[in-house]
Amino acid sequence: MNIYIYCIIGVFIISAICGFLFIPLILNFCKSRKLYDIPDARKIHHGAIPRLGGISFMPSMLLSFAAAMYVIDNTDKQVTINLWSIYFLLSILIIYVMGIVDDILGLSPLIKFIIQIIAACTLPMSGLYINSMYGFLGIYEIPYYIGFPLTVLTIVFIDNAINLIDGIDGLAASLSIIALSGFLYMFIVQNVWSYSILIAGLIGVLVAFMYFNLFGSVEKNRKIFMGDSGSLTLGYLLGFLCIKYSMNNTAVMPNHKFDFLIAFTLLLVPMFDVVRVFVVRIYHKRSPFSADKTHIHHKFMSAGCTQHTALVAILALAVLYIVANHFMLMVMSNTSVFIIDVIVYILVNLVLNYFIAKRHPHGHKIKMVSERVKS
């Protein structure tokens, strides 16, 4: 086992420990300042619960990453930090700070959207952008003037997809852990160690967060939500990793051992969910940014699932996509696999609609709630 694998394991452990140390401090701070996520008609929870759990993500990840870099620097090994890495760290710090400000003071959706675009623009400006579709929809090489806006759109879209699916306990965090684990494996296979170590650090603190989010007691002030500081940071990092893996750059990754579609498959459930919700809202002549209870976790619960059952079902769907696509891509084109993915998602929603209608035989309408929507 080489030094990098030891560092990945060590970073995971250090970050998890940091999470278990930081989150109780954040909980006490939220209690003293009365910073709670207040329940309303759109939300699932009923009690006032602190919403700043995401503040622990960046410090835990970066502290453990710095520790690993120190260990590696004192060996004969090297980890390359290039311009992309610097731009990425600066841009994700912008998103992280924006999320904290939004959780504490509140920001308008337009301001958050503008900041997300500005942060996302830094990546193609540094030379990191979608430059090939590898035959998807018959498209191969992509020029910079198309790749630039496509990259920004993709990152902002994924960022908001993770933000919007953060609707029940553990969902955004566990979907992120699944996706991050996939990226960790793929980057290890490619010997891209700096990002592998960073990913391990984020997984570690997410495990700590999941403990408090799923099993913490509200009465003992030990339950917490990640808030926008967490979901937007996660979404931005996952969007970056998708672009990083998808870019055709033989200097960094000589050959893709997995089809580029696998990178996006890791986030297929939250991305499909946002598209479906927006289409449904537009069909019903509502603003695509209006708030409601039509996300996939709401549908599972309307069909009769508990929060935890809905969580398990959605995670099972995410894993099924990853496993199925991995094997299908061995014998089919990525375009054909994507079409099958869309059909499967439509069928899943039709089945859910059937059970919702059966459970509510006199008609079931999900109320649209007029409130500020997470962007």
Side-chain angles (χ1 to χ4, degrees):
M1 189 180 294
N2 63 38
I3 184 66
Y4 299 117
I5 299 300
Y6 282 119
C7 282
I8 287 171
I9 296 170
V11 161
F12 171 82
I13 295 171
I14 293 171
S15 183
I17 292 172
C18 287
F20 279 110
L21 293 175
F22 291 156
I23 292 176
L25 297 177
I26 295 170
L27 282 162
N28 293 337
F29 173 79
C30 290
K31 183 178 180 180
S32 66
R33 300 300 178 90
K34 293 182 170 52
L35 297 172
Y36 297 110
D37 191 357
I38 306 300
D40 54 37
R42 175 179 170 266
K43 296 175 181 177
I44 302 297
H45 67 283
H46 301 292
I49 298 172
R51 62 176 183 271
L52 297 178
I55 290 180
S56 65
F57 293 177
M58 285 292 286
S60 300
M61 179 178 68
L62 294 180
L63 283 173
S64 58
F65 180 77
M69 293 300 100
Y70 176 80
V71 171
I72 293 172
D73 189 55
N74 283 276
T75 67
D76 58 348
K77 303 292 184 180
Q78 290 185 344
V79 171
T80 303
I81 304 295
N82 52 32
L83 185 62
W84 300 344
S85 307
I86 296 171
Y87 274 72
F88 161 67
L89 289 174
L90 290 174
S91 59
I92 198 171
L93 282 173
I94 292 172
I95 296 296
Y96 174 68
V97 171
M98 179 192 73
I100 294 174
V101 173
D102 185 47
D103 285 333
I104 296 176
L105 301 176
L107 292 172
S108 71
L110 179 60
I111 290 176
K112 290 192 290 183
F113 185 66
I114 292 172
I115 294 173
Q116 285 176 306
I117 291 175
I118 293 171
C121 283
T122 61
L123 298 180
M125 287 172 61
S126 71
L128 180 67
Y129 68 100
I130 298 173
N131 62 351
S132 177
M133 297 289 281
Y134 302 92
F136 181 69
L137 299 177
I139 304 170
Y140 288 88
E141 297 302 314
I142 297 177
Y144 181 74
Y145 66 87
I146 294 177
F148 190 119
L150 181 60
T151 299
V152 173
L153 176 65
T154 300
I155 292 174
V156 172
F157 175 67
I158 293 174
D159 197 11
N160 285 292
I162 299 298
N163 183 234
L164 291 170
I165 207 164
D166 183 26
I168 60 174
D169 290 348
L171 183 55
S174 51
L175 284 173
S176 296
I177 288 174
I178 290 173
L180 288 167
S181 298
F183 282 119
L184 177 62
Y185 175 68
M186 291 193 294
F187 282 122
I188 287 176
V189 170
Q190 300 284 358
N191 294 321
V192 181
W193 297 110
S194 57
Y195 294 109
S196 301
I197 293 168
L198 194 71
I199 290 167
L202 186 54
I203 294 174
V205 70
L206 280 175
V207 169
F209 168 79
M210 287 277 288
Y211 171 79
F212 289 97
N213 182 235
L214 284 175
F215 308 112
S217 169
V218 177
E219 293 75 17
K220 295 179 180 179
N221 190 39
R222 282 299 175 267
K223 186 176 181 65
I224 197 167
F225 295 151
M226 69 170 64
D228 281 2
S229 59
S231 59
L232 290 174
T233 300
L234 281 176
Y236 188 84
L237 187 141
L238 288 166
F240 165 79
L241 293 175
C242 278
I243 304 302
K244 172 71 176 175
Y245 185 81
S246 301
M247 184 176 182
N248 183 15
N249 185 359
T250 55
V252 178
M253 291 183 286
N255 61 303
H256 279 76
K257 297 184 185 300
F258 310 93
D259 192 284
F260 93 107
L261 186 63
I262 284 293
F264 293 93
T265 298
L266 297 172
L267 299 165
L268 216 53
V269 170
M271 290 196 297
F272 275 179
D273 184 58
V274 171
V275 173
R276 180 191 60 79
V277 168
F278 274 28
V279 169
V280 169
R281 289 171 184 169
I282 293 170
Y283 176 79
H284 289 289
K285 298 179 180 179
R286 298 179 182 273
S287 167
F289 302 103
S290 60
D292 56 33
K293 286 188 175 182
T294 58
H295 287 283
I296 190 168
H297 45 279
H298 295 130
K299 294 189 71 171
F300 270 104
M301 295 180 69
S302 295
C305 294
T306 63
Q307 275 201 57
H308 286 183
T309 306
L311 173 64
V312 172
I314 295 169
L315 296 184
L317 178 62
V319 172
L320 176 64
Y321 266 129
I322 295 169
V323 174
N325 281 10
H326 176 69
F327 287 106
M328 286 193 294
L329 286 167
M330 294 180 180
V331 294
M332 301 171 63
S333 70
N334 48 33
T335 303
S336 300
V337 172
F338 179 76
I339 292 171
I340 293 173
D341 290 341
V342 172
I343 293 171
V344 168
Y345 198 79
I346 292 172
L347 290 175
V348 168
N349 277 274
L350 290 175
V351 171
L352 286 173
N353 291 343
Y354 169 79
F355 282 105
I356 291 171
K358 187 175 181 180
R359 190 163 180 258
H360 304 274
H362 301 296
H364 177 68
K365 292 183 179 181
I366 299 174
K367 295 181 180 179
M368 300 289 178
V369 181
S370 298
E371 69 168 298
R372 181 177 63 84
V373 187
K374 296 194 294 184
S375 66

